[in-house]
Amino acid sequence: MGEGDLGLWAVLVAMIGGAIRVSTPFIFVSLGECLTERSGRINLGLEGTLVFGAMSGYAVAYETNSAWIGVLAAALAGTVFGLFHGWVCKLPRVNDIAIGIALMLLGMGLAFFFGKPYIQPVAPDLPAIPLGFWSSSPQVEAALRVNVLFVVGIALAFLIAWLFRSTRIGLVIRVVGDSSDAARAMGISVDRVRLLATAAGGALAGIGGAYLSLYYPGSWNEGISSGQGLMAVALVIFARWNPVNCIWAALLFGAAGALGPALQSIGISKGYYLSYAAPYVLTLILLIATSSTTRAVRGAPGELSITK
Amino acid sequence: MSMILHPSRRGFIKGAAALAGVSALSGFSAVPAYAAGLTVGFIYVGAKDDFGYNQAHAEGAAAVKAMDSVTVIEEENVPETVDCQKTMESMINFDGASLLFPTSFGYFDPHILEVAAKQPGVRFQHAGGMWNADKHPAHVGSYFGYIGMGQYLNGIAAAHATKTKKIGFVAAKPIPQVLLNINSFLLGARSVDPEITCQVIFTGEWSLAVKEAEATNALADQGVDVITCHVDGPKVVIETAAGRGAFVCGYHADQTALAPEKYLTGAEWNWAKVYTDMVKTTLDGGMIDNFVRGGLAEGFIKMSPLGPAVPEAGRNQFEAVKAEILKGGFAAIKGPLKDNGGNVIAEAGQSFVETDVALESMNYLVEGVVGSLS
């Protein structure tokens, strides 16, 4: 210790650091998807929203020289995508999964098209809170540089959990998601609730994208997401539609992703392709371990087209 | 998956054209008319302004575009799948291209080979060392530069900047060209100080922004204080490393603008010269050589200007070795040398000069590099 050489501890520090750095977009996208799915609809287009959010956030941050205005722009762009999805799905005989895939491609295509001039310029970054100030080890300090959006994401998860549990809004979303007939009997406009839930979900995914381009890795390019939006949608099922579980799932995923580079950096480099597959292997193991042949998926909203 | 994530624009246009009435196109010959001028196609695996591999090729394409009686067509973000065959076919059949530069390493086998078998009248030029006279057709060729020499010079600059005697390399895949760069980077550094070690982290893909950032952070965590890379777009590595306070050496293109204080130097491609030469040969009715190579002396590669962090002694040594390399016949890999598993690579007195074809099938990391190939 001391001399900046942590040995095997370095792997643990790197995994904690990786969890904090990498998990934020997963948290935001999975919270957004959680909100949407609890209202009874699936939005598979969040990968496209994430990429478009990354592009629009970066572009606006560069033009206005303010990272926060960029985040706002990304949230607005995400809202527009969400509203579009919600509006189209309201029409009769429209499949929400198909629309989601279409919107994913549209979002990525638009982001690539409008993002061309912004690959080269350098936009301002979001600020970080140095929670590792107490440590003399540069590794620990670096691992505990926490971005504001990470804190906001965690707070938001608890807020949404509270919303579902103890507020009228949460109850309305849950009723719409579990039984649209019951909701209609109560006089709730099912389509409007779903529209708003999808729009809010889109806004969160947009913010997740802004984190990618404005903080970590911190620049806009066309390969920036590499499927993180899709993984986050899967995390929601893994988290059993519980917002607080989404945090854990996202952290676990981030930590497992940091395992490969961390192992190689301390000289354990055999089989790095296998250690890179760790997040996916972990997901499979956990899903199999928590599954059951005798009952349906626990916690799934009744109106969801994949579990109906 | 990649078909979903990367829909081919050209594929779409082709489909649309077919729907619109293919009869209008039926008179179109597969073998392009030559007298009207030459149409040259460039295919990139990523964005052409990525501060890296694709930008270097696109700068070459821009130089070709400026030539007389040449039409340049380009397509970006073409994955190394059957998509690139579709792109090549449509460049040939719809745009009349007769000289193609599919620039990514993974395009060659099987994609270029399959299209080449169907299109004997078209010339295919592939960047990388895959073409083999015994196995591959004569209208396919390969070209590459001895950019390992650039990484050797990077290593010299790195050795003068490092305090921890640990330098690092973020690499995509363990193919010969990448391994030669890693080994050259370390050997350049060791020519200054034999105690230096180089930590390598493979990301497994040419472009994975988050993994590249994680790899850079992992290197910085280990006390590595000079980092370079061989990935398609070095922007993320350069910015992340500089953000962690490490010095950086560039690759593919000039990245000085991304970290002006931390940037030591960089190994850059100079495809403009190579491409204009090849197109000129074709326009004059000649045949391009199937095997084209060159280094610093031939103008295939160049070095970024030295940054402010390189000390006086480092500048002098850098310039002296560069002058030595410019004379030709320089060897970075020379005996006595072992790989990092203890096997002998070169006996004392034995050396592999930069032009040695044996280097193009490199499958080892030299002693002093921490890392393994699989």
Side-chain angles (χ1 to χ4, degrees), chain B residues 229-251:
Chain B
C229 61
H230 186 163
V231 294
D232 273 355
K235 191 181 182 194
V236 167
V237 173
I238 302 285
E239 287 186 335
T240 310
R244 288 291 302 265
F247 293 109
V248 290
C249 293
Y251 190 63

Side-chain angles (χ1 to χ4, degrees), chain A residues 40 42 96 177-180 194 296-297 300-308:
Chain A
I42 289 183
D96 54 351
D178 274 331
S179 167
S180 53
R194 288 183 179 164
V297 187
E303 287 285 319
L304 222 49
S305 50
I306 47 163
T307 53
K308 250 206 261 202

Side-chain angles (χ1 to χ4, degrees), chain A residues 4-7 10 13-14 17-18 21-22 47 58 101 104-105 108 112 116-122 138-140 142-143 212 216-228 230 254 257-258 260-262 264-267 269-273 276, chain B residues 1 3-7 9 46-52 55 59 76-77 166 171-174 199-205 207-223 233 235-236 239-240 243-244 257-258 370-374:
Chain A
D5 195 6
L6 300 180
V13 171
R21 284 191 297 259
V22 180
E47 167 79 8
Y58 197 74
I101 293 174
M104 173 169 84
L105 296 176
M108 291 169 68
F112 291 2
K116 271 279 161 263
Y118 297 102
I119 296 177
Q120 292 250 347
V122 178
Q139 291 92 329
V140 175
L212 280 178
Y216 194 78
S219 68
W220 158 247
N221 67 61
E222 292 168 2
I224 192 154
S225 152
S226 47
Q228 290 180 67
L230 284 172
Q264 283 192 63
S265 77
I266 61 158
S269 47
K270 277 274 175 229
Y272 58 83
Y273 277 104
Y276 281 151
Chain B
M1 194 52 159
M3 272 300 285
I4 296 176
L5 290 179
H6 303 281
R9 181 166 56 232
K48 63 182 184 182
D49 35 17
D50 61 356
F51 264 111
Q55 180 175 328
E59 282 169 6
E76 311 169 78
N77 294 316
K166 278 180 171 178
K173 300 183 183 189
Q199 184 95 48
V200 58
I201 295 186
F202 290 101
T203 62
E205 272 304 330
S207 183
L208 272 182
V210 174
K211 196 144 280 173
E212 286 156 16
E214 278 299 293
T216 310
N217 272 311
L219 287 172
D221 282 345
Q222 287 301 308
K235 191 181 182 194
V236 167
E239 287 186 335
T240 310
R244 288 291 302 265
L258 296 176
V370 186
S372 63
L373 301 186
S374 61

Side-chain angles (χ1 to χ4, degrees), chain A:
Chain A
M1 288 250 191
E3 281 298 296
D5 195 6
L6 300 180
L8 266 177
W9 284 104
V11 177
L12 194 69
V13 171
M15 284 177 73
I16 293 170
I20 292 170
R21 284 191 297 259
V22 180
S23 63
T24 308
F26 287 124
I27 293 179
F28 274 92
V29 179
S30 59
L31 283 180
E33 184 66 16
C34 187
L35 203 59
T36 308
E37 291 193 13
R38 286 295 280 265
S39 79
R41 231 178 232 156
I42 289 183
N43 183 1
L44 276 186
L46 290 189
E47 167 79 8
T49 312
L50 181 80
V51 173
F52 195 85
M55 189 285 294
S56 54
Y58 197 74
V60 171
Y62 173 71
E63 297 294 351
T64 63
N65 207 23
S66 159
W68 290 110
I69 297 180
V71 173
L72 199 69
L76 272 177
T79 310
V80 172
F81 273 93
L83 282 174
F84 187 71
H85 184 276
W87 174 71
V88 175
C89 287
K90 192 179 74 177
L91 305 172
R93 286 190 299 279
V94 168
N95 181 300
D96 54 351
I97 293 181
I99 294 298
I101 293 174
L103 273 183
M104 173 169 84
L105 296 176
L106 178 72
M108 291 169 68
L110 286 178
F112 291 2
F113 179 74
F114 289 113
K116 271 279 161 263
Y118 297 102
I119 296 177
Q120 292 250 347
V122 178
D125 273 1
L126 286 168
I129 312 167
L131 283 186
F133 60 89
W134 47 270
S135 170
S136 58
S137 153
Q139 291 92 329
V140 175
E141 267 182 58
L144 291 181
R145 277 177 64 82
V146 172
N147 186 268
V148 181
L149 282 183
F150 175 72
V151 183
V152 172
I154 288 183
L156 209 59
F158 285 99
L159 184 75
I160 293 175
W162 172 78
L163 199 77
F164 282 145
R165 200 176 51 238
S166 8
T167 67
R168 191 183 149 72
I169 301 171
L171 184 70
V172 167
I173 295 176
R174 275 161 52 206
V175 168
V176 169
D178 274 331
S179 167
S180 53
D181 290 341
R184 279 195 198 92
M186 286 167 68
I188 299 169
S189 165
V190 172
D191 284 331
R192 190 203 259 159
V193 172
R194 288 183 179 164
L195 181 75
L196 294 176
T198 315
L204 291 180
I207 296 175
Y211 176 90
L212 280 178
S213 61
L214 291 175
Y215 185 67
Y216 194 78
S219 68
W220 158 247
N221 67 61
E222 292 168 2
I224 192 154
S225 152
S226 47
Q228 290 180 67
L230 284 172
M231 287 313 300
V233 171
L235 283 183
V236 176
I237 303 172
F238 177 47
R240 301 278 183 247
W241 294 271
N242 176 337
V244 178
N245 282 352
C246 284
I247 304 179
W248 300 119
L251 283 175
L252 195 66
F253 224 73
L259 186 65
L263 282 178
Q264 283 192 63
S265 77
I266 61 158
I268 304 174
S269 47
K270 277 274 175 229
Y272 58 83
Y273 277 104
L274 282 180
S275 54
Y276 281 151
Y280 312 101
V281 175
L282 196 71
T283 312
L284 271 178
I285 292 173
L286 281 167
L287 276 179
I288 292 169
T290 55
S291 71
S292 162
T293 49
T294 53
R295 55 177 162 72
V297 187
R298 229 182 327 141
E303 287 285 319
L304 222 49
S305 50
I306 47 163
T307 53
K308 250 206 261 202

Side-chain angles (χ1 to χ4, degrees), chain B residues 34-58:
Chain B
Y34 218 72
L38 178 67
T39 301
V40 187
F42 289 88
I43 306 172
Y44 316 110
V45 74
K48 63 182 184 182
D49 35 17
D50 61 356
F51 264 111
Y53 188 80
N54 299 296
Q55 180 175 328
H57 285 291

Side-chain angles (χ1 to χ4, degrees), chain B residues 297-313:
Chain B
E298 294 81 10
F300 277 43
I301 67 167
K302 58 188 178 192
M303 298 302 293
S304 317
L306 286 169
V310 184
E312 191 61 33

